[in-house]
Structures are given as C-alpha cells and as structure tokens.
Amino acid sequence: GQQLNQSPQSMFIQEGEDVSMNCTSSSIFNTWLWYKQDPGEGPVLLIALYKAGELTSNGRLTAQFGITRKDSFLNISASIPSDVGIYFCAPAMNRDDKIIFGKGTRLHILP
Amino acid sequence: EPEVTQTPSHQVTQMGQEVILRCVPISNHLYFYWYRQILGQKVEFLVSFYNNEISEKSEIFDDQFSVERPDGSNFTLKIRSTKLEDSAMYFCASSVPDRGSYEQYFGPGTRLTVT
C-alpha cells in the first residue's frame, strides 16, 4: 500500500532558528500541500505545490515539490513563537481528490 | 475572508445514540469533504461529496455514516449509532475546482466525545 513518511516527528528549536521538515512517499503525486494545525483547531493551508521541481514561498515559509514527485520539504526561516504547532504534508493525486495527511511534525520553540 | 464553519464545536453523546455534525462550506465551493482526527493521530479522510452524491469514501465510512446536503448551504455528517471509537475531531472541508485547484479549506472541527 501507499506509504507516506513525514520527518522529523517533533522538533525543539530556539526562536530565530530555521526549520526544515520533509515528506517522502512510495507513490507519485500531482500536488503537495502543506498545512499547519494549532491545538484544537482545523488545518490551515500554508502552501500548495503543483509542478515537479517547483519552489514556492509564502513569507518565511518555502516549500519544494521534489522532481521525482515523491517528496516535498518545507522550510521556515527565522522562527517566531506563533510558528508553534503541527505541520502536515498532504499530497493528492487528482483535483478534488482526497488529501492524504502525513503524521505531522510538531514544532516546539524553546523560551 | 470566507471560511468553513462547523457546529457544534463540541458534542458529547452516549454510545448508541445518533449524532449529526453540521458544516457550512465556503459559498462558491462545489466539493465537500469530511475528515476525522483521533486524538494525537493524523487526519484521516472519510468521504467526499459532489453534485449531491458521494464521490469517494474510505473504509472508515461504513453503513453507520451518512452525509447530506439538505439545502444550498449546509453539509451534514450523521453517525447513526455511535461507538466509543468514534470519539475524535471531525473536520469539514470544501474546495472549488477552479484552474486545477486541489486546495481544500478546513473548518475548525467538531470534537465528538462518545461515552
């Protein structure tokens, strides 16, 4: 069956540090989405990637769609306290298809 | 900015009871979804809905589950006879098939607790 691996599972960083997380899959996908979830809330879309090799930024966030279409990474530069939360990669195969969520990367920022 | 809304925010019910979770998708969206998230786990797909019928459903979405769009704005998930393992956050999402959009927008969720 389809395998989706997201790493790391959790990260503890100092405010101001850069962060990197990634997802790999056993299957190819046509899109990679990245969501952030705050405690007790729904996932919020951060970045959407549509083309293999595409590099997209949204403020301090940068994400790339791997050229093999089986992976993606998300970088956060100069982390701030409100970056705390769980980040999910969420690839999909077809437009309006279900999204498959990774297990998430829980980001903690140390005081 | 338009957003998906869900009610109630928290529902407590006894095992065997029926529950209806309600969602109002973004008004110009055409595709609707339900996902669930058991505490501490990943978000799992339940069902997608388009043009007044189910497009796809997962193994979780068995005969105890049903969805309905009773009017032009609401989208509901019904669990006919709840089980303890149905306790989870339930998220509604919607998307519009515009210019190849895959982007789904999620509501804040309903926390269902089955006792």
Side-chain angles (χ1 to χ4, degrees):
Chain A
Q2 193 174 69
Q3 301 249 353
L4 185 63
N5 296 305
Q6 184 171 352
S7 64
Q9 199 170 5
S10 64
M11 304 182 73
F12 291 82
I13 62 167
Q14 300 281 350
E15 183 178 348
E17 287 186 18
D18 297 343
V19 171
S20 185
M21 60 192 78
N22 69 84
C23 275
T24 59
S25 168
S26 57
S27 307
I28 61 171
F29 288 100
N30 287 329
T31 189
W32 284 85
L33 307 174
W34 284 92
Y35 285 85
K36 177 176 184 265
Q37 186 178 30
D38 290 330
E41 299 186 16
V44 174
L45 182 63
L46 299 174
I47 286 182
L49 301 159
Y50 293 103
K51 288 175 59 176
E54 178 183 357
L55 184 72
T56 296
S57 292
N58 178 9
R60 294 178 295 106
L61 276 59
T62 302
Q64 184 158 32
F65 191 154
I67 55 172
T68 65
R69 294 164 60 197
K70 291 185 177 182
D71 62 304
S72 177
F73 71 73
L74 175 70
N75 288 343
I76 306 172
S77 63
S79 57
I80 60 177
S82 60
D83 291 335
V84 166
I86 305 175
Y87 292 80
F88 292 98
C89 64
M93 190 58 202
N94 298 307
R95 191 176 66 180
D96 310 311
D97 201 0
K98 62 180 180 287
I99 289 174
I100 299 164
F101 280 79
K103 291 186 178 180
T105 294
R106 187 180 293 271
L107 180 63
H108 305 265
I109 295 184
L110 301 170
Chain B
E1 186 170 321
E3 57 184 21
V4 177
T5 59
Q6 290 185 243
T7 54
S9 56
H10 191 186
Q11 173 91 47
V12 181
T13 189
Q14 288 191 323
M15 196 167 53
Q17 294 296 304
E18 174 184 287
V19 294
I20 298 176
L21 311 182
R22 302 180 192 281
C23 167
V24 179
I26 295 172
S27 62
N28 64 333
H29 284 192
L30 302 177
Y31 284 77
F32 314 114
Y33 310 82
W34 284 100
Y35 292 80
R36 80 169 186 191
Q37 185 180 34
I38 294 171
L39 185 64
Q41 298 187 24
K42 66 179 181 179
V43 178
E44 300 174 290
F45 169 76
L46 291 178
V47 65
S48 58
F49 190 87
Y50 170 72
N51 201 24
N52 285 319
E53 59 182 27
I54 290 174
S55 305
E56 185 178 0
K57 58 184 180 179
S58 71
E59 292 175 353
I60 303 167
F61 194 89
D62 61 22
D63 292 344
Q64 295 299 314
F65 291 85
S66 63
V67 289
E68 194 177 34
R69 187 153 164 83
D71 53 41
S73 60
N74 290 283
F75 179 51
T76 61
L77 175 70
K78 182 192 291 186
I79 309 176
R80 194 154 43 135
S81 177
T82 50
K83 304 188 283 286
L84 293 176
E85 54 265 37
D86 293 329
S87 295
M89 284 287 287
Y90 287 81
F91 295 107
C92 173
S94 68
S95 72
V96 55
D98 179 38
R99 297 189 300 276
S101 172
Y102 293 72
E103 298 163 21
Q104 295 181 21
Y105 295 87
F106 285 74
T110 292
R111 180 176 298 282
L112 177 65
T113 302
V114 182
T115 61

